[in-house]
Amino acid sequence: MASRRRTLLKVIILGDSGYVNKKFSNQYKATIGADFLTKEVQFEDRLFTLQIWDTAGQERFQSLGVAFYRGADCCVLVYDVNVMKSFDNLNNWREEFLIQASPSDPENFPFVVLGNKIDIDGGNSRVVSEKKARAWCASKGNIPYFETSAKEGFNVEAAFQCMAKNALKNEPEEEM
Amino acid sequence: MKGISSAPGDYVHFKSQVPLHKISIGSKQWRYYDFGPKSVLPLICIPGIAGTADVYYKQIMSLSLKGYRVISIDIPQVWNHHEWIHAFEKFLDTINVHHVHLYGTSLGGFLAQIFAQHRPRRVKSLVLSNTFLETHKFAAAMPWSPIVSWTPSFLLKRHILTGIHDGPHEPFIADSVDFVVGQVEKLSREDISSRLTLNVNVTSVGPLLLPDSFITIMDTNDYCAVPQELKDQVSERYPGARRAVLKTGGDFPFLSRPDEVNLYLQLHLRRVGVEAKPALLQGVSGDGSSGSSSDEKKGGGHLDKPPEDHGSLGGGDGGDHQPQASGSEVHGLDEQFLSNREITSITLGTSFFLMQAPYIPSLLQFYMGALYVTWKRRSEFV
């Protein structure tokens, strides 16, 4: 068992503003427009490696090409609760993803939605209500929804757990 | 093996574009490619036992188009690690390269680490793929290693090929195996026996001065000839290294998953501060905007700090084409151009595979024959 391969789950983050990019310490540059980090997540006694790809809010992320999307297990759509346009764009991002990644079963492909930056200005600058966001998620086939603050790490762990769980549902038992 | 005559289309293209260099330094013959702008610190690709400089042709084509300099080498005929270090150092001196970034796969990754350990000032970063820290296990699995230098060529080749996973492959991996088999056919007996000797000389990689943050570990998660526990040791040795895992790809992801590998290599080079110089691209992409003037940064001394955000990321929100962002414009076009090209080559590859279908049984037979020769399969081999 010791040498058993870890399950690798590939998670793609899309949205108007990069989500984890703060953790990437400004390493983005215009030339590639994406970066990734890996994170170990324990879920139901199994250890997973989440490989999380972030697009840094690139609108022209299509240019990243097939390598970026290949084998995605979960897509995380992020918006900024303080910016209405970022919420309105969720639908575009979702459709863009389905076109680019063309998963075999688009109806059941696991998405997760994150309402981010809830900490800003003590929540006073918020323009998208949780209710509104949840309603949209429900209309798209009950996408799990989390409110997070990447800066303070609030709820981030729960979101990662959910990504692992959802991605896993679609993961076939891989055999050699 | 007739496979060589029907080489993949993009390889034919590569051969028509990129000159192969052959030089002798002392008693050593070097066979290598060197492509891309000479003012950029090179990424040097070091193959495993079954590889040649040619196996990285997809990296050379793609990354040089993006403004990186890529060198790929054949492992020369060296018989121990000290000889390797000296020979490689002389090679670098001869081609006038001082600092390098190394990308090594299997045995090549091991040699890259050895070189980084003994010549810490020259190696600026490492990309280690499906590799290991020590050769004890291979030595134990190959008790006939003392007679390697007397073993006939065909037996050595069969031995090498038995290390390659021979289950049913998806087409891209099958193509990558075909390509490597074709390359192995070109190796001389001395080439192979020297590599086998390197692989079983009991040595291990000592501590590196290079910080983990300058290391990317790029393993395939499906299978490869290097046992998982040896790969795990590499990850444990460099806990701060970046883990660029490929879900699938087999033994030769640089051939079977070139777009992913190239993306990882680009991300690695960006992270360690290599500035690409895509100015040469202007002609290719047909983008007339001035880009050459933006190459003011010199290569030296930028490794100390991570690359700054150029602030042009937001260029997308207005769709405005500022001069500053022109580099990325060119890049975007190039990327599309490239992915189109890759798709074309992938299609070619698939049909190539299908056409070869009747030929598969004979290949299998070949593998089966090889089984007789070696007693311990897998794990023995790289």
Side-chain angles (χ1 to χ4, degrees):
Chain A
M1 280 307 278
S3 67
R4 192 175 185 280
R5 286 187 304 282
R6 292 239 175 99
T7 305
L8 177 74
L9 299 174
K10 186 167 175 179
V11 176
I12 290 177
I13 299 184
L14 298 174
D16 281 5
S17 65
Y19 174 64
V20 257
N21 57 358
K22 285 193 196 75
K23 294 179 184 169
F24 292 151
S25 62
N26 292 331
Q27 283 194 22
Y28 286 111
K29 269 181 155 181
T31 46
I32 307 176
D35 210 338
F36 72 97
L37 58 79
T38 48
K39 185 178 165 60
E40 304 284 316
V41 173
Q42 185 146 7
F43 180 72
E44 287 178 355
D45 296 335
R46 284 178 66 188
L47 204 55
F48 297 96
T49 303
L50 287 189
Q51 184 180 74
I52 303 163
W53 285 85
D54 194 1
T55 56
Q58 290 271 301
E59 284 193 13
R60 289 180 297 111
F61 73 101
Q62 298 92 320
S63 68
L64 289 165
V66 67
F68 182 69
Y69 298 97
R70 177 182 286 134
D73 297 293
C74 177
C75 176
V76 179
L77 304 170
V78 188
Y79 76 98
D80 181 341
V81 299
N82 308 292
V83 181
M84 185 55 83
K85 187 165 172 281
S86 70
F87 177 74
D88 293 338
N89 276 338
L90 285 183
N91 206 40
N92 297 336
W93 285 114
R94 181 175 171 276
E95 286 176 7
E96 190 67 44
F97 175 82
L98 291 175
I99 290 166
Q100 295 285 336
S102 49
S104 52
D105 184 9
E107 291 302 310
N108 293 312
F109 188 86
F111 285 94
V112 171
V113 170
L114 300 184
N116 196 26
K117 301 190 184 174
I118 55 169
D119 55 309
I120 286 188
D121 196 16
N124 288 326
S125 59
R126 180 167 188 151
V127 292
V128 182
S129 70
E130 182 173 350
K131 191 179 163 194
K132 185 172 178 176
R134 287 195 184 279
W136 184 82
C137 290
S139 75
K140 298 292 172 189
N142 283 322
I143 300 177
Y145 177 71
F146 293 88
E147 302 225 317
T148 59
S149 147
K151 200 168 136 202
E152 289 166 17
F154 174 73
N155 228 355
V156 172
E157 200 57 37
F160 282 133
Q161 288 277 337
C162 181
M163 290 172 208
K165 183 178 149 201
N166 284 6
L168 204 60
K169 276 194 297 201
N170 281 32
E171 178 88 343
E173 276 304 310
E174 278 184 36
E175 289 300 323
M176 285 181 51
Chain B
M1 298 262 111
K2 293 267 161 56
I4 307 157
S5 57
S6 43
D10 61 340
Y11 180 63
V12 173
H13 177 68
F14 163 80
K15 291 295 279 180
S16 73
Q17 299 284 310
V18 183
L20 173 68
H21 300 275
K22 285 181 179 171
I23 55 172
S24 318
I25 305 170
S27 60
K28 304 294 172 215
Q29 303 293 318
W30 287 84
R31 187 181 168 278
Y32 67 101
Y33 296 97
D34 179 356
F35 208 58
K38 294 285 180 283
S39 54
V40 178
L41 277 195
L43 175 73
I44 302 189
C45 310
I46 310 173
I49 289 182
T52 59
D54 300 64
V55 299
Y56 299 111
Y57 78 91
K58 289 168 192 271
Q59 284 65 52
I60 297 171
M61 286 310 273
S62 167
L63 294 178
S64 65
L65 268 174
K66 295 189 165 84
Y68 292 101
R69 179 182 182 187
V70 184
I71 297 173
S72 72
I73 61 167
D74 274 16
I75 300 175
Q77 285 173 25
V78 291
W79 301 88
N80 62 59
H81 302 103
H82 295 293
E83 206 184 350
W84 154 250
I85 294 159
H86 291 296
F88 190 53
E89 185 166 44
K90 278 189 187 147
F91 169 70
L92 297 181
D93 291 342
T94 306
I95 63 169
N96 206 15
V97 165
H98 192 68
H99 293 129
V100 293
H101 300 272
L102 300 178
Y103 164 43
T105 60
S106 74
L107 175 63
F110 178 72
L111 295 176
Q113 294 173 84
I114 291 279
F115 190 75
Q117 179 194 343
H118 293 275
R119 294 292 180 272
R121 276 187 290 277
R122 297 195 85 150
V123 179
K124 292 297 159 192
S125 78
L126 289 172
V127 181
L128 305 173
S129 181
N130 288 342
T131 190
F132 45 87
L133 293 174
E134 46 158 54
T135 50
H136 301 89
K137 190 160 176 144
F138 303 116
M142 202 170 113
W144 51 280
S145 61
I147 56 156
V148 153
S149 53
W150 303 339
T151 311
S153 171
F154 79 97
L155 288 180
L156 291 175
K157 285 179 182 172
R158 284 189 177 186
H159 176 70
I160 286 191
L161 296 172
T162 51
I164 301 172
H165 187 65
D166 60 351
H169 290 305
E170 56 99 334
F172 300 133
I173 294 180
D175 281 351
S176 76
V177 173
D178 282 355
F179 188 87
V180 171
V181 169
Q183 293 296 310
V184 169
E185 285 303 303
K186 293 180 184 171
L187 295 174
S188 74
R189 199 181 70 81
E190 289 71 25
D191 285 332
I192 301 178
S193 53
S194 86
R195 293 174 190 191
L196 284 173
T197 307
L198 277 180
N199 207 51
V200 298
N201 274 341
V202 176
T203 316
S204 54
V205 177
L208 303 188
L209 283 181
L210 191 70
D212 285 0
S213 56
F214 290 86
I215 301 173
T216 293
I217 298 171
M218 196 198 299
D219 287 347
T220 44
N221 209 37
D222 48 355
Y223 53 80
C224 81
V226 176
Q228 185 66 41
E229 61 263 34
L230 296 190
K231 296 202 286 179
D232 287 346
Q233 286 174 6
V234 177
S235 300
E236 284 157 24
R237 171 72 69 88
Y238 313 115
R242 208 137 91 124
R243 308 271 327 273
V245 188
L246 296 131
K247 280 187 145 183
T248 55
D251 278 302
F252 316 111
F254 38 89
L255 288 162
S256 64
R257 298 287 182 266
D259 46 2
E260 281 175 82
V261 168
N262 295 343
L263 180 57
Y264 279 135
L265 289 175
Q266 260 185 286
L267 289 169
H268 172 85
L269 291 171
R270 179 181 68 180
R271 181 180 162 93
V272 300
V274 180
E275 294 274 349
K277 298 206 171 150
L280 294 170
L281 286 179
Q282 306 271 326
V284 178
S285 63
D287 188 318
S289 61
S290 66
S292 51
S293 60
S294 63
D295 291 332
E296 280 154 23
K297 289 198 175 152
K298 279 295 290 169
H302 50 55
L303 284 176
D304 301 324
K305 61 182 170 68
E308 301 284 334
D309 190 328
H310 275 192
S312 50
L313 275 179
D317 44 33
D320 50 337
H321 294 214
Q322 301 160 341
Q324 190 196 7
S326 68
S328 72
E329 288 298 315
V330 172
H331 180 85
L333 283 170
D334 168 48
E335 194 102 46
Q336 276 161 358
F337 161 69
L338 243 158
S339 55
N340 284 343
R341 207 176 56 78
E342 269 163 14
I343 287 164
T344 320
S345 72
I346 280 165
T347 326
L348 281 171
T350 316
S351 53
F352 168 70
F353 175 73
L354 291 175
M355 272 155 42
Q356 293 289 328
Y359 151 83
I360 293 171
S362 66
L363 188 70
L364 275 178
Q365 201 177 17
F366 183 76
Y367 284 139
M368 292 305 288
L371 267 176
Y372 282 95
V373 185
T374 37
W375 355 323
K376 297 219 173 182
R377 309 215 54 231
R378 309 272 307 158
S379 81
E380 175 171 5
F381 228 81
V382 197

